[in-house]
Amino acid sequence: MSETYSYLGPSGTFTEAALAQVPEARGKEWRSVNNVGEAFDDVVSGRSVAAMIAIENSIEGGVTSTLDALANIPNLRIVGEYLVRVQFVLVARPGTRLEDVRVVNAHPVAYAQTRSWLDANLPTHGHIPSTSNVASALALFENDLADAAVAPPQIVQHHELEVLAENIADNANAVTRFVLVSRSTVLPAATGADKTSIIAELPDDRSGALLELLEQFSTRGVNLSLLQSRPIGDALGRYRFVIDADGHISDERVADALLGVRRFSPSVIFLGSYPRADQAPVEYVDRYDDEVFREAREWLRGLIDGEPTA
């Protein structure tokens, strides 16, 4: 049976563009889904071997629906990350003028990334949320509730739509980070340009608790590229933290940091170690090199075994 990969569709979305970067997915079946929950369900049920999910964008930060799903659905692993440059156009049915637009369809993330342009050029506009960037445009053919849609530029290659405005993103350098999520527990090999993702809870709500969590990384020379809090949901003041650490779990400094986190936190979810999309080598000072950790362990072993010290 052919392997299947799920992605937020329909065809033409940024998620599909991210999946196109996965060598293992080429020539396989791609299944378009309507939302993140459906994509995760495909992976959990075994309908798909993996799903491509947006997890972070450079404007709004972490995608909360993805972060919460990773915290609550067990046995999921991130096996790769991919970056997609995000650009938007405002499209409408043929014959529509910009001054005719009163209501705009847009995915919530896309709406946040184009809000300044929309407020400046359509100050009285209304917004109807869509399940995807492509779905926002296709809805123009299904009903007349909206007059225009925020969509990817390539949408006009697939559908008869008129571009009312180009380059409407508030930040021309906006990038969305996607992750490939699977049930596989096989770790990708360390490359020297890796990232490790976990979710950890604080043991209690008290002064300095977050600092203690972060010190597990700082004292081992491990840099964090993402730290985002999400409510656990059982009481006010109770949070879990989504953490991206530079390095691979097989790196001594990262492994030692994770041991510290596991001793400190009542709940740690390991999401995976995987190659960085930008392929940038992880930088650290020499005293946190693997050999330094191994030498320290050997020194301790010698003390325990009663070996003479030099």
Side-chain angles (χ1 to χ4, degrees), residues 19-239:
L19 186 56
Q21 298 180 38
V22 181
E24 297 82 5
R26 292 169 189 161
K28 304 298 175 60
E29 180 181 350
W30 292 11
R31 172 175 152 78
S32 170
V33 299
N34 294 315
N35 53 62
V36 170
E38 187 179 358
F40 280 125
D41 184 63
D42 280 357
V43 175
V44 171
S45 67
R47 186 180 300 115
S48 296
V49 296
M52 185 64 73
I53 307 290
I55 194 170
E56 181 186 8
N57 69 74
S58 58
I59 306 299
E60 291 292 294
V63 179
T64 56
S65 59
T66 299
L67 299 179
D68 291 344
L70 289 171
N72 290 295
I73 301 175
N75 303 318
L76 293 177
R77 290 285 180 87
I78 297 173
V79 295
E81 73 167 3
Y82 307 88
L83 303 178
V84 176
R85 289 286 300 274
V86 176
Q87 298 176 317
F88 294 106
V89 295
L90 187 70
V91 296
R93 305 175 195 89
T96 303
R97 301 173 302 170
L98 184 61
E99 52 266 33
D100 298 329
V101 176
R102 299 290 179 269
V103 179
V104 176
N105 288 332
H107 185 275
V109 175
Y111 185 65
Q113 296 188 27
T114 57
R115 183 67 181 271
S116 295
W117 188 95
L118 292 170
D119 286 346
N121 293 273
L122 301 169
T124 62
H125 76 277
H127 169 226
I128 298 178
S130 302
T131 58
S132 77
N133 293 309
V134 172
S136 67
L138 297 184
L140 296 174
F141 299 111
E142 298 168 359
N143 56 64
D144 58 359
L145 297 177
D147 308 298
V150 175
Q154 60 268 29
I155 190 70
V156 295
Q157 300 173 10
H158 304 282
H159 304 282
E160 191 176 346
L161 291 161
E162 203 162 286
V163 177
L164 302 183
E166 298 179 319
N167 301 316
I168 67 172
D170 299 333
N171 188 328
N173 298 315
V175 175
T176 295
R177 174 181 165 230
F178 293 85
V179 290
L180 190 65
V181 178
S182 170
R183 291 184 303 166
S184 174
T185 57
V186 178
L187 288 171
T191 66
D194 305 292
K195 186 177 292 185
T196 295
S197 298
I198 67 168
I199 300 176
E201 296 180 12
L202 298 181
D204 43 37
D205 182 17
R206 59 176 171 79
S207 174
L210 177 57
L211 175 61
E212 287 184 51
L213 173 62
L214 298 180
E215 283 178 339
Q216 307 305 319
F217 297 95
S218 64
T219 56
R220 280 92 172 175
V222 178
N223 182 56
L224 304 184
S225 57
L226 175 70
L227 175 67
Q228 181 153 345
S229 64
R230 295 297 301 152
I232 295 174
D234 56 358
L236 286 173
R238 292 264 294 139
Y239 287 88

Side-chain angles (χ1 to χ4, degrees), residues 265-284:
S265 172
S267 174
V268 182
I269 300 172
F270 176 72
L271 296 176
S273 287
Y274 47 90
R276 294 168 56 108
D278 60 11
Q279 300 180 345
V282 175
E283 297 182 355
Y284 57 91

